[in-house]
Amino acid sequence: MTKHEVLSIALKVLGVYVILEALQTIQYFFVYVAQMLQTPAPAGEIIGSALTIAIPFLVMVTMGAVLVKRSAPLSERMLGASPAASVESAGVSAGDIQAIAFSVVGLAIFATAIPKICPLGMTFYYMSRSDMGFDSLYRAAEIRRVWETILS
């Protein structure tokens, strides 16, 4: 088994993990639907909330599917050209295993951060468009008073 095959297997396992993590984001959709049935909201809020739920799910499922389906080309791209020697004959060094492990961990961190980043971006977008946006926050009398106290 070569280093590329080891990384390929690790990427496939990570892809399955990412897809399973994506399925957990579906629970928010059901909570959202139940909430909308109880309290109707404006159309803009419904669309924004639906996008906040759908974008992370679609990105994670796509990323998981790409990791599973394209793991061999990705491993060649991450490690360079594929040598013909196997792990048993060539001996995988600790540095090789460490590089593979950190590559997979980095992708896992990125994939699990997607559901947290998308709602944050939508929140900033709607705050910037609303009357209670960032400008109102900086104009608040209490914050100004505290800031002036700190500066003096």
Side-chain angles (χ1 to χ4, degrees), residues 8-26:
S8 179
I9 291 170
L11 290 175
K12 286 181 183 184
V13 170
L14 177 62
V16 171
Y17 172 75
V18 169
I19 291 171
L20 292 175
E21 283 291 315
L23 293 177
Q24 289 183 359
T25 62
I26 291 297

Side-chain angles (χ1 to χ4, degrees), residues 2 23-24 33 35 43 52 54 67 76 94 107 115:
T2 66
L23 293 177
Q24 289 183 359
V33 168
Q35 186 180 16
T52 302
L67 285 172
E76 287 181 16
L107 286 172

Side-chain angles (χ1 to χ4, degrees), residues 25-123:
T25 62
I26 291 297
Q27 69 183 345
Y28 302 121
F29 178 75
F30 294 118
V31 170
Y32 172 71
V33 168
Q35 186 180 16
M36 285 297 116
L37 290 175
Q38 293 176 358
T39 56
E45 184 178 324
I46 292 171
I47 292 170
S49 297
L51 287 175
T52 302
I53 295 168
I55 290 173
F57 174 75
L58 294 174
V59 169
M60 288 181 72
V61 167
T62 303
M63 183 178 180
V66 166
L67 285 172
V68 170
K69 189 142 181 103
R70 308 277 299 157
S71 62
L74 285 173
S75 67
E76 287 181 16
R77 187 174 191 139
M78 292 171 80
L79 294 177
S82 177
S86 68
V87 170
E88 291 83 15
S89 64
V92 176
S93 69
D96 294 338
I97 293 172
Q98 185 178 11
I100 290 169
F102 278 114
S103 298
V104 172
V105 168
L107 286 172
I109 290 171
F110 175 76
T112 56
I114 292 170
K116 298 170 188 157
I117 292 172
C118 288
L120 184 64
M122 295 298 286
T123 301

